[in-house]
Amino acid sequence: MLIQPALSETAMQAIEITEFGAPEVLRLGERAQPVAGVGEVLIRVSASGINRPDVLQRKGHYAPPPGASDVPGLEVAGVVQGGDAAAMAQVGLRVGDRVCALLAGGGYAQWCVAPVEQCLPVPAGLSDIEAASLPETFFTVWSNVFDRARLQPGETLLVQGGGSGIGVTAIQLGRAFGATVIVTAGSDEKCAACLALGAHHAINYQTQDFVAEVQRITAGKGVDVVLDMVAGSYVAREVECLAEDGRLVIIAVQGGVQAAFNAGLVLRKRLTITGSTLRARPVAFKGAIARALRERVWPLLASGAVRPVVHSSFAAADAAQAHALMESNQHTGKIVLTW
């Protein structure tokens, strides 16, 4: 049975991409409220997280998967208003519960629908703004660092872009699960922020050679896992950084899609080079990540051992300003829209 709320009106506000281009193409518009289908919940959104894929979509470089909303936004926090009662019961969700959710699109809006399996309760003590900053980065880091790269306690993790939303999450989860964490960041201030979050070492890539620094820090052994959002020319240097049986996981290509590297090192050191995208993966795949997060990570958020890092929040109508901040790279952590 689908539980539908009694709505006095069917319209809602949403941030629309009026054309592909600069942040100014984002405008507050009006859309019909979505309707939850089988396996879905309807959420009244309080806050919407901003992520790099949103910027790529705005520029015309990252289309939504088939069937997903063309409204940008991959994560929200809010209150369950209705949905598939049977599916909700299976995961213990009820109308009125505060949740955060991972979406394939549609998050920059007052209302959204999300697969039940991709919803998680807001951790105790967190605001909706903090909760909206969690899903995209926590799902991504868990899937890539722990599932694909199999980071183990006692190993060393190198995180490129430690000040990003992904970076601040990877730092905290890496440390919480017993790894030594090395990060790169683009300023001394961001390096200091990464160290304050729990990174063991921080390398300013503007003034230091991260390959040489990694070799120095690890006494020539190298790191076991690299989480890379740059690709391009970084791949060759990361191959040099890796220890024997090391794993490189590429999750974005901000430095370009072409990479030349020493394949001989891959052979001699028995390296694994892999990568993934999350947005188009099946609900069942994302649901498995959600269950792992709820069991392994949500208790750490509730206890304060791991915490959300929100750099700033903007009223939804100021989405263009929020995107401009993201593209400036002057922030550390997440940027969130509020409704």
Side-chain angles (χ1 to χ4, degrees), residues 211 215 222 235-243 265 269 271:
V211 178
Q215 295 299 330
V235 175
R237 301 167 70 193
E238 289 160 346
V239 166
E240 294 182 43
C241 285
L242 282 166
L265 286 177
K269 294 199 285 186
L271 305 181

Side-chain angles (χ1 to χ4, degrees), residues 62 81 101 111 120 125 134 163 166 201 234 236 242 270:
Y62 194 24
Q81 299 292 307
W111 298 77
L120 286 161
L134 300 176
I166 292 287
H201 306 277
Y234 267 46
L242 282 166
R270 303 176 302 280

